[in-house]
Amino acid sequence: MSERFKVTKFDEPSGKNYKNYGATSAESDVELKGKLLPDPGDTDDGLPKEKDKCCDTNLYLYHEEIEDRPRAATFLSSLADYSNTIPTASAADPDAPKPAPPARMGTLIGVYLPCIQNIFGVILFIRLTWVVGTAGAIQGFLIVLTCCCTTMLTAISMSAIATNGVVPAGGSYFMIGRSLGPECGGAVGMLFYTGTTLAAAMYIVGAVEIVLTYMAPWMSIFGDFTKDPEAMYNNFRVYGTGLLLIMGMVVFVGVKFVNKFATIALACVILSISAVYAGIFVNFNGNDKLQMCVLGKRLLKDIHISNCSKDPGGELEQIFCPNGTCDPYYHTHEVSIVQGIKGLASGVFFDNLQDSFLQLGQYIAYGKEPDDIEQMERPTYNQIYADLTTTFTILIGIFFPSVTGIMAGSNRSGDLADAQKSIPIGTICAILTTSTVYLSCVLLFAGTVDNLLLRDKFGQSIGGKLVVANMAWPNQWVILIGSFLSTLGAGLQSLTGAPRLLQAIAKDEIIPFLAPFAVSSSRGEPTRALLLTMLICQCGILLGNVDILAPLLSMFFLMCYGFVNLACALQTLLKTPNWRPRFKYYHWSLSLAGLTLCISIMFMTSWFYALIAMGMAGLIYKYIEYRGAEKEWGDGLRGLALSAARYSLLRLEEGPPHTKNWRPQVLVLAKLNDDLNPKYRKMLAFASQLKAGKGLAVCVSVLGGDFTRRAGEASTAKQNLRKCMEEEKVKGFTDVLVAHSIADGLSHFVQTTGLGGLKPNTVIVGWPYGWRQSEDDRTWHVFLHTVRAVTAARMAMLVPKGINFFPDSTEKVSGNIDIWWIVHDGGMLMLLPFLLKQHRTWKNCKMRIFTVAQMEDNSIQMKKDLKMFLYQLRLEAEVEVVEMTDSDISAYTYERTLMMEQRNQMLRELRLNKKETLGMVQAIVDHHHADVKTASKVRFAEPGSEPNPNDAPSPPLADSEDKETDDKDDFRSSLLHIIDSMWDSSDENSQCEGAPSPPLDAEKKDSNANGDALNPKPNLPNITPDEGTVRRMHTAVKLNEVIVSRSHDAQLVILNLPGPPRDTKLERESNYMEFLEVLTEGLEKVLMVRGGGREVITIYS
């Protein structure tokens, strides 16, 4: 006796009433071994001696498509090393040297500290005191708070985008470009590049200002710049150009030096700020180091404190009375010496609450009296006056560069160990830290320094000293050297990052004229891009004034930040399927608020600069649109185009969208009842839940016959479909086709529905519940023909089984959605439950993902890999790996296969004449006494209908037009119904707990009266099933066992739909339908899914 098959008993879990898939008695064991098992020599018709190498017995049902749709275990093993799936920045450059393995940095080193270094800039040291004094404590606080809120809202949006998948190196340009498309990506990329380049110019001018104004004023080559502002700016231009050349050489020669210097610059920043805080509290009661000479209420410069008096012949009298005639203001006001650093205990904070905004040329003085601040067309002498007009909005533009630099962490995404965790935490913590420092400095400066000294931008009243430096402890040189080195470090970082950003844009080939800048040098450096960057930077240096550069570069950064907020808001509002950020603390309203703030600050600061920046972005956008290379990055704007009119439809590209932008565009194949209403309305409800009001939905049906005769019925059916769609809140279109063949009509719908990019990619088709009872020999023909048509069209297919038990759109269900991931076919099984959970009906359900491990699989590693895969997909689900032992095929499996083969034989013999059929029916009725259980049919009957054993439902896709039946068809229908009843009762008896199996030779004791060859029970010895059939049945039985044991109480079970048989023979197609029945037995709500042969979900951003 062959040992390849053993009769095994399936032990039911305690308390569960499951099917018994094993033999139930020793007697039946003997009978089965004697009757069912093939001889050892049977190798052609029985099972093979060696297991098929390409697919094991447990999953043989899927073996025909295993090459195109690998097993889940195989797919997971290919994703075990996730770092290999992330493209590097130099992947597209053949000349670039082989990159070293990236350093896996954490949140502190990789994100937090770089952001701190980039945010704290030169403005903090040379302009913040002036901003506080000019705007006052209240408005100064609002200025800083507005800028910090803008960057915080942008950081929240950026965190959502950055955690929406793996972000390769490329930072903000990559994120915006892949979210909004190549046109917006290119425009924003160029804006960000320009802003970064101008930031380098501002840092260089700021560094020169620190040196010439506060450290070495003797280096001026254009005379005394304290008396002539233009001389000062010319000095800045000359020395700035020289410093740019030196820094450019440093960047060209060694980027490693720049990276090492960044650490020194960061230390300088932290040390300088600490010194400022220490000095404020050391000088709590003020000090006498900084004293100012004040005439009346006006601040004077270039006067030593010992000469601050109106003594006759003194220095002041010589200045204000040059020809013996004294200035009226000097004559009527007294001179006083004012302490500059008054300390927190002095109460000067209340004097600094109000603003002191001035027009160009007005004097810096206490209060706003015209006599004190207006020049009155008199000489200025040595009185300090405003060198530019100041308002609340202008000061926002000048201060805003101090809060930029929040992209530093995302720019290093390729070097982070866990970018999805580090970028949000590091960036937001850095913004909170810097915002706390800025806001506290506003209040502390206002409470420590006299108002006139705060407004003295260049410290001319105290001998050209930096106010912040003289406030610090222990010495002003800590601040001077620290601020200079940190500013140099920031400038080097900008000169290093900007050329690489330009090269990244050029390599994407979206702006053709930038192609020459994609080339790297032999050392892998973007030399050409560096030269262009230095040229643009030189243009900024020629402006020579930080107060002009700061608002200009603010425009470019604000535009960039605005687009980041726009990208996040669009993705959230469109509910793009790929939009699944791991960072959950975002909302579209926050993104819109950030966008509004960015645009408002732009126009408040300078409408002229704002229009320049927006015009530049618009020109680049249109250039890329009309001249640039076509790129499909799966962007959000393509989603908007789906709901637009002709213009947007023409913009939609033919062909499949990018994986990130894939969403099910549903084609519902609905069956109509006799009243021309949809028979299964819940299919439309399910489509509505799946769509959540987004994308395309088309509901169609086919009527059999001639269109000229049934045109009226088609119109009525279309109206009924439309009404039903409105009731189920499905937004979409309807259509009804009249065709001579139902199968051909459905095939036509699959092939032709849609227009251009507005084309369905997913078909929902009902399960043919009555396929066993119908009088047609090939009731499953329409269903299988549709499955094959959908597969040929490379569309996804959803087959809900038990549709009447699916929830309505008004219901709310809770429980589990179980995904049984057997083979990987593009990720449809992962995406569908996520989309369903977006609807209120399924929102409270939890996802559970099961995958099957074979004997040779490492189930522990599979579970680990699957968890990592879900983490990268930003999906939350419980994971379980089910181990299926390589067990022998059970007796129940073999018996069920034989009964299926016997049924096929009966169907073939139904071509008998009416008299023979009468005899067969009578013999079967006599044997079974017409005792039929119809539970399984009532389950799928229409709601409200009474079950009728003699009126079995037709399959959803069957042709219901022909209502003329002859007597022979009546008998054939009755016979089929009785055969199926025999099938069901046999199954139910064998599946009841503790019920003994009937003797297998029982059929020998009963024969029909006519001596017919057909027996009411299968003639087991006469049929030997094909080995593939047995193995497919084994797969269905074994999978059904494990699915039912774990998912019997799930709200929905989603599993792979096996591919239809390639062979179109009657027996193979009938067997396929039976395999699906066995696979889903005992499950109330099942969704069988077959992907379209392409990836629909991705780990990338």
Side-chain angles (χ1 to χ4, degrees):
M1 184 63 61
S2 172
E3 291 298 320
R4 283 171 292 143
F5 301 106
K6 295 180 183 177
V7 180
T8 59
K9 179 172 175 130
F10 172 68
D11 296 324
E12 293 181 12
S14 59
K16 307 291 184 184
N17 185 21
Y18 296 137
K19 304 177 182 68
N20 187 342
Y21 286 144
T24 55
S25 68
E27 181 180 357
S28 62
D29 288 356
V30 175
E31 293 293 338
L32 284 170
K33 286 195 175 185
K35 300 288 184 180
L36 295 180
L37 302 185
D39 282 332
D42 261 343
T43 56
D44 295 327
D45 297 324
L47 290 175
K49 291 182 178 180
E50 294 186 5
K51 192 170 74 169
D52 194 343
K53 300 293 183 186
C54 70
C55 187
D56 49 65
T57 304
N58 288 334
L59 298 179
Y60 195 77
L61 185 57
Y62 297 90
H63 93 104
E64 288 187 353
E65 52 189 355
I66 211 71
E67 293 181 1
D68 299 328
R69 292 172 166 81
R71 289 193 305 120
T74 306
F75 176 77
L76 284 174
S77 65
S78 67
L79 292 179
D81 186 6
Y82 291 98
S83 62
N84 290 339
T85 66
I86 302 173
T88 60
S90 61
D93 187 6
D95 300 327
K98 210 169 186 179
R104 292 303 182 184
M105 294 185 290
T107 303
L108 181 67
I109 302 298
V111 180
Y112 180 76
L113 292 180
C115 283
I116 291 286
Q117 179 193 353
N118 280 267
I119 293 174
F120 284 136
V122 66
I123 301 292
L124 168 64
F125 301 106
I126 66 175
R127 290 292 184 271
L128 184 56
T129 52
W130 173 71
V131 169
V132 174
T134 304
I138 296 176
Q139 294 194 46
F141 190 88
L142 289 177
I143 287 171
V144 176
L145 184 64
T146 301
C147 295
C148 292
C149 286
T150 303
T151 54
M152 176 59 78
L153 293 173
T154 304
I156 291 173
S157 299
M158 185 191 71
S159 298
I161 297 175
T163 59
N164 186 46
V166 179
V167 181
S172 55
Y173 164 66
F174 180 93
M175 290 189 297
I176 299 170
R178 271 58 174 178
S179 296
L180 290 179
E183 295 91 351
C184 287
V188 176
M190 289 303 297
L191 288 174
F192 193 59
Y193 165 75
T194 308
T196 306
T197 305
L198 291 178
M202 186 190 72
Y203 289 133
I204 291 173
V205 173
V208 172
E209 180 179 320
I210 292 174
V211 173
L212 285 183
T213 308
Y214 309 115
M215 296 174 68
W218 50 267
M219 293 177 61
S220 173
I221 57 177
F222 291 97
D224 187 0
F225 57 84
T226 59
K227 295 180 173 56
D228 183 9
E230 278 304 314
M232 178 173 61
Y233 297 140
N234 287 332
N235 279 316
F236 292 169
R237 293 180 181 108
V238 173
Y239 282 104
T241 302
L243 185 57
L244 171 64
L245 293 175
I246 295 173
M247 294 172 66
M249 289 297 295
V250 171
V251 172
F252 174 75
V253 171
V255 178
K256 292 182 179 179
F257 173 77
V258 176
N259 293 332
K260 290 178 180 178
F261 189 79
T263 307
I264 300 175
L266 175 62
C268 292
V269 168
I270 296 175
L271 183 63
S272 300
I273 293 173
S274 302
V276 171
Y277 276 108
I280 287 174
F281 291 101
V282 166
N283 297 313
F284 186 78
N285 295 311
N287 65 51
D288 297 328
K289 292 180 182 178
L290 301 181
Q291 292 183 328
M292 303 175 294
C293 185
V294 178
L295 173 63
K297 293 184 179 181
R298 296 178 182 176
L299 184 63
L300 303 181
K301 64 180 178 179
D302 301 332
I303 294 293
H304 193 272
I305 206 65
S306 61
N307 296 323
C308 185
S309 66
K310 297 180 69 173
D311 295 339
E315 186 176 352
L316 282 181
E317 185 171 315
Q318 294 177 10
I319 295 174
F320 284 92
C321 306
N323 299 319
T325 305
C326 293
D327 182 79
Y329 191 84
Y330 174 80
H331 184 70
T332 57
H333 292 81
E334 294 298 323
V335 176
S336 61
I337 298 175
V338 177
Q339 183 181 0
I341 307 296
K342 294 187 175 182
L344 292 172
S346 65
V348 72
F349 178 80
F350 299 100
D351 297 332
N352 288 325
L353 283 177
Q354 300 301 319
D355 67 86
S356 301
F357 297 125
L358 297 175
Q359 298 293 320
L360 174 66
Q362 290 182 333
Y363 292 121
I364 295 176
Y366 291 120
K368 295 183 179 179
E369 292 295 329
D371 288 343
D372 296 323
I373 64 175
E374 297 294 344
Q375 290 189 8
M376 305 292 186
E377 297 183 355
R378 299 170 187 161
T380 58
Y381 303 108
N382 66 337
Q383 301 169 101
I384 301 175
Y385 56 87
D387 59 346
L388 80 162
T389 300
T390 53
T391 62
F392 179 84
T393 56
I394 289 176
L395 292 184
I396 285 182
I398 292 175
F399 178 77
F400 190 80
S402 288
V403 296
T404 60
I406 62 174
M407 301 288 189
S410 64
N411 290 340
R412 296 169 177 239
S413 56
D415 298 327
L416 299 174
D418 188 353
Q420 297 188 9
K421 177 183 176 183
S422 297
I423 289 177
I425 296 175
T427 304
I428 291 176
C429 287
I431 292 176
L432 289 175
T433 303
T434 53
S435 299
T436 303
V437 170
Y438 282 139
L439 292 171
S440 62
C441 282
V442 170
L443 301 179
L444 292 174
F445 289 170
T448 302
V449 186
D450 184 80
N451 180 260
L452 290 182
L453 183 56
L454 284 175
R455 294 158 63 193
D456 186 3
K457 184 188 296 184
F458 301 109
Q460 293 171 316
S461 63
I462 53 176
K465 296 179 181 179
L466 184 61
V467 177
V468 176
N470 285 272
M471 199 187 312
W473 179 89
N475 190 283
Q476 65 169 339
W477 288 98
V478 174
I479 300 296
L480 291 175
I481 296 175
S483 61
F484 175 71
L485 291 179
S486 66
T487 303
L488 277 185
L492 285 172
Q493 291 287 342
S494 298
L495 283 178
T496 304
R500 281 158 176 75
L501 177 59
L502 179 64
Q503 186 183 43
I505 299 172
K507 283 184 176 180
D508 273 337
E509 299 177 355
I510 57 174
I511 305 179
F513 70 78
L514 290 181
F517 300 102
V519 179
S520 298
S521 67
S522 58
R523 296 181 297 110
E525 296 296 323
T527 306
R528 296 182 181 179
L530 176 61
L531 292 175
L532 179 63
T533 301
M534 292 179 64
L535 181 63
I536 298 175
C537 188
Q538 176 62 28
C539 295
I541 291 174
L542 291 178
L543 293 175
N545 191 343
V546 170
D547 298 329
I548 296 176
L549 278 168
L552 183 59
L553 69 93
S554 292
M555 295 301 155
F556 296 104
F557 280 115
L558 283 166
M559 284 283 289
C560 181
Y561 293 168
F563 273 107
V564 171
N565 287 299
L566 176 63
C568 182
L570 268 181
Q571 301 275 39
T572 307
L573 291 173
L574 289 174
K575 295 183 178 179
T576 309
N578 189 61
W579 182 244
R580 303 181 302 276
R582 298 205 70 83
F583 181 77
K584 301 300 182 184
Y585 306 102
Y586 72 95
H587 194 267
W588 60 266
S589 59
L590 295 178
S591 300
L592 287 182
L595 174 62
T596 304
L597 266 178
C598 290
I599 296 176
S600 302
I601 293 175
M602 285 176 63
F603 281 95
M604 284 192 304
T605 302
S606 171
W607 63 268
F608 181 70
Y609 284 166
L611 290 179
I612 290 177
M614 297 181 75
M616 176 179 169
L619 288 175
I620 296 173
Y621 181 94
K622 299 306 291 184
Y623 178 81
I624 296 173
E625 185 177 27
Y626 289 112
R627 296 289 306 276
E630 294 183 358
K631 290 282 181 181
E632 174 52 62
W633 286 343
D635 51 275
L637 293 183
R638 295 296 186 265
L640 283 177
L642 288 173
S643 59
R646 183 186 66 85
Y647 174 73
S648 294
L649 186 60
L650 291 174
R651 288 189 61 193
L652 278 176
E653 299 176 6
E654 290 255 8
H658 191 277
T659 301
K660 296 182 302 180
N661 214 34
W662 194 94
R663 69 164 75 243
Q665 315 292 355
V666 175
L667 175 65
V668 182
L669 305 182
K671 182 191 174 182
L672 304 177
N673 56 21
D674 295 340
D675 298 328
L676 300 179
N677 287 311
K679 187 172 183 179
Y680 300 103
R681 291 174 60 97
K682 286 193 175 180
M683 282 181 64
L684 295 177
F686 175 72
S688 174
Q689 296 159 16
L690 184 64
K691 297 299 297 173
K694 303 295 179 182
L696 175 68
V698 183
C699 182
V700 300
S701 188
V702 178
L703 296 176
D706 185 16
F707 177 68
T708 57
R709 298 181 179 180
R710 304 198 67 178
E713 296 179 34
S715 177
T716 303
K718 189 172 182 179
Q719 293 178 7
N720 293 343
L721 278 178
R722 165 58 59 188
K723 182 179 179 182
C724 188
M725 287 183 69
E726 292 174 353
E727 292 172 355
E728 297 295 341
K729 297 181 180 179
V730 182
K731 298 179 181 178
F733 309 97
T734 61
D735 204 0
V736 176
L737 179 69
V738 180
H740 291 288
S741 168
I742 299 293
D744 289 344
L746 293 173
S747 178
H748 294 160
F749 269 133
V750 169
Q751 295 177 59
T752 61
T753 303
L755 182 64
L758 205 64
K759 191 174 181 65
N761 55 29
T762 304
V763 178
I764 300 180
V765 57
W767 175 255
Y769 300 108
W771 68 273
R772 287 173 177 164
Q773 296 88 2
S774 177
E775 63 273 11
D776 188 357
D777 287 350
R778 297 168 68 102
T779 56
W780 52 84
H781 170 73
V782 175
F783 176 77
L784 287 180
H785 189 275
T786 305
V787 173
R788 291 189 177 106
V790 172
T791 303
R794 297 183 64 81
M795 300 166 72
M797 186 172 190
L798 311 181
V799 183
K801 194 165 183 280
I803 188 65
N804 287 332
F805 290 90
F806 278 53
D808 288 323
S809 295
T810 56
E811 300 177 27
K812 283 188 176 181
V813 297
S814 60
N816 296 319
I817 299 178
D818 286 358
I819 301 102
W820 283 86
W821 190 29
I822 312 300
V823 295
H824 178 72
D825 59 353
M828 279 289 291
L829 271 73
M830 307 290 186
L831 185 61
L832 288 175
F834 170 78
L835 295 177
L836 286 175
K837 280 167 60 65
Q838 305 305 303
H839 194 273
R840 60 187 299 272
T841 299
W842 302 91
K843 189 174 184 179
N844 297 325
C845 291
K846 295 181 179 179
M847 284 173 56
R848 297 193 303 181
I849 297 182
F850 299 87
T851 189
V852 176
Q854 303 301 316
M855 292 291 290
E856 66 273 12
D857 297 326
N858 185 341
S859 58
I860 298 176
Q861 185 62 38
M862 276 184 65
K863 187 170 184 178
K864 180 181 176 182
D865 292 342
L866 181 54
K867 284 184 176 179
M868 178 57 72
F869 183 50
L870 293 177
Y871 178 82
Q872 298 284 7
L873 290 175
R874 294 92 64 205
L875 295 176
E876 295 180 1
E878 297 179 18
V879 173
E880 184 174 345
V881 177
V882 180
E883 296 183 351
M884 290 184 66
T885 58
D886 197 7
S887 60
D888 295 316
I889 296 175
S890 65
Y892 172 77
T893 300
Y894 207 82
E895 179 185 4
R896 185 104 189 216
T897 307
L898 289 176
M899 295 182 69
M900 180 176 66
E901 297 284 0
Q902 185 67 19
R903 184 180 187 277
N904 290 338
Q905 181 176 330
M906 290 180 178
L907 292 175
R908 284 194 298 271
E909 295 178 2
L910 282 182
R911 302 184 185 278
L912 302 172
N913 58 35
K914 180 177 178 180
K915 180 177 179 180
E916 290 172 320
T917 305
L918 273 170
M920 291 168 57
V921 173
Q922 186 61 44
I924 297 174
V925 170
D926 289 344
H927 181 74
H928 287 275
H929 305 289
D931 184 13
V932 177
K933 297 176 77 173
T934 59
S936 63
K937 299 173 186 58
V938 175
R939 179 171 176 265
F940 298 118
E942 276 295 287
S945 63
E946 293 297 328
N948 184 354
N950 296 319
D951 187 18
S954 59
L957 300 178
D959 185 354
S960 59
E961 179 204 8
D962 188 9
K963 300 178 182 178
E964 298 178 3
T965 57
D966 54 14
D967 293 339
K968 181 175 180 179
D969 290 336
D970 288 336
F971 277 107
R972 296 171 77 186
S973 180
S974 301
L975 178 59
L976 271 172
H977 183 70
I978 293 172
I979 291 173
D980 191 66
S981 302
M982 176 186 87
W983 177 271
D984 286 343
S985 57
S986 172
D987 288 351
E988 288 157 4
N989 288 336
S990 64
Q991 294 163 12
C992 291
E993 186 174 2
S997 295
L1000 295 179
D1001 59 346
E1003 70 275 4
K1004 295 180 180 178
K1005 301 176 183 178
D1006 292 292
S1007 298
N1008 59 48
N1010 297 331
D1012 212 304
L1014 183 63
N1015 294 319
K1017 286 288 287 180
N1019 190 3
L1020 301 180
N1022 296 334
I1023 297 178
T1024 302
D1026 175 70
E1027 63 161 288
T1029 303
V1030 176
R1031 293 171 73 174
R1032 291 182 179 90
M1033 180 63 77
H1034 178 72
T1035 299
V1037 170
K1038 291 289 290 183
L1039 282 177
N1040 182 257
E1041 287 178 10
V1042 296
I1043 293 174
V1044 170
S1045 65
R1046 288 168 172 80
S1047 303
H1048 59 279
D1049 58 349
Q1051 290 293 341
L1052 180 63
V1053 176
I1054 304 177
L1055 52 83
N1056 294 104
L1057 174 69
R1062 296 170 184 172
D1063 190 353
T1064 57
K1065 291 181 181 178
L1066 174 71
E1067 293 81 0
R1068 287 297 304 276
E1069 293 186 343
S1070 174
N1071 292 349
Y1072 173 76
M1073 299 296 293
E1074 189 59 43
F1075 296 146
L1076 298 185
E1077 289 281 9
V1078 173
L1079 186 62
T1080 57
E1081 272 183 349
L1083 301 172
E1084 188 173 67
K1085 288 169 283 191
V1086 183
L1087 181 65
M1088 290 180 281
V1089 179
R1090 182 168 174 79
R1094 58 159 296 168
E1095 294 291 330
V1096 299
I1097 195 168
T1098 177
I1099 66 174
Y1100 294 106
S1101 172

